[in-house]
Amino acid sequence: AVLTSADAVSHVMLEPNAWAHPIDGELKGLQQTFIVNSGTGYITQGGKRFELSKDKAFVITPGMDFRMTATGPRYLTFYVVTEKLPNGATPSTTLNVVDRSKAAQTTSRWYNKERSLVTKVDGLVQFPSIDQVELGPMKIAQSRSAAKDVEEIWIATEGNGDMLFGKYLRRFPEGSAIRVPPTGISAQGNFNFTDKPTKYLHLIR
């Protein structure tokens, strides 16, 4: 009801030793980017097998045939961003799992440490990238407002932080997600008053 470039933001769980496969017609006009949040497993497509672990990412497109299997004693979990395919888009039919979990971080908004986990080069069509943002213990990030027609989404993936949202300080625990209102006046900023880092996924278009 509130998203524009994205169709949905989801949390997905696959129990140990279970497997998943595509359903015909499920992704009509859509594609999904999976980012591993916890657990281990693998995915096969086109005769290739790719190991899955935390922060690895891949894009599933309409008609792509794959099989995903969870291994180990824990659930294999993901955050999934479903994007609308623009008119004329030609999504890839080949699966590629990327691992940028060790890429260098850059600093922004005072104390945010950022790295891109998946980009348009890897198959995104609406957003330029999905970034991992880390905020250290007892740190405050600079607040800012999303401009008109800008879609900005934050997903809390690790730790229980707080968030300045407009005039109010709100809890922003792991598993929460927000879209910053594109008004130019609704300030948003992440606060970490805990003794451990908090992590987020950030999308902006």
Side-chain angles (χ1 to χ4, degrees):
V2 298
L3 300 177
T4 53
S5 299
D7 186 76
V9 173
S10 311
H11 184 257
V12 176
M13 302 175 67
L14 188 61
E15 64 183 327
N17 302 313
W19 55 274
H21 61 85
I23 298 174
D24 289 343
E26 185 177 29
L27 291 182
K28 186 177 181 179
L30 304 169
Q31 70 174 29
Q32 293 183 318
T33 300
F34 286 68
I35 297 176
V36 182
N37 190 58
S38 66
T40 58
Y42 62 89
I43 185 170
T44 57
Q45 193 266 337
K48 295 183 179 180
R49 169 170 164 157
F50 302 88
E51 300 300 319
L52 300 177
S53 56
K54 186 171 176 59
D55 294 335
K56 290 184 178 181
F58 57 90
V59 179
I60 297 294
T61 60
M64 183 179 287
D65 188 26
F66 67 90
R67 180 175 172 125
M68 189 188 317
T69 304
T71 59
R74 301 174 56 198
Y75 276 81
L76 179 60
T77 72
F78 306 86
Y79 284 100
V80 180
V81 176
T82 303
E83 294 180 288
K84 300 171 183 177
L85 288 171
N87 291 334
T90 306
S92 174
T93 58
T94 303
L95 183 75
N96 183 35
V97 176
V98 294
D99 182 6
R100 295 199 177 92
S101 59
K102 305 301 181 185
Q105 294 176 313
T106 59
T107 302
S108 71
R109 294 174 68 171
W110 295 346
Y111 291 108
N112 280 340
K113 302 292 185 181
E114 301 181 359
R115 65 164 61 93
S116 295
L117 295 182
V118 57
T119 69
K120 278 197 170 182
V121 172
D122 309 309
L124 293 178
V125 291
Q126 293 281 5
F127 296 92
S129 63
I130 300 177
D131 299 331
Q132 182 184 72
V133 179
E134 180 178 337
L135 186 60
M138 302 304 295
K139 294 292 191 296
I140 295 174
Q142 181 186 29
S143 299
R144 71 178 181 193
S145 303
K148 184 180 179 181
D149 298 326
V150 170
E151 176 136 280
E152 182 173 4
I153 300 169
W154 287 88
I155 309 165
T157 62
E158 189 174 317
N160 295 309
D162 292 89
M163 173 183 57
L164 181 68
F165 195 59
K167 297 179 180 180
Y168 302 98
L169 186 64
R170 302 175 183 271
R171 298 295 295 165
F172 195 25
E174 182 178 321
S176 303
I178 65 157
R179 177 183 190 247
V180 181
T183 62
I185 58 174
S186 299
Q188 184 277 335
N190 297 317
F191 290 28
N192 183 5
F193 299 128
T194 74
D195 60 358
K196 296 179 180 179
T198 53
K199 291 184 180 180
Y200 310 88
L201 295 178
H202 181 231
L203 302 84
I204 186 167
R205 178 184 185 271

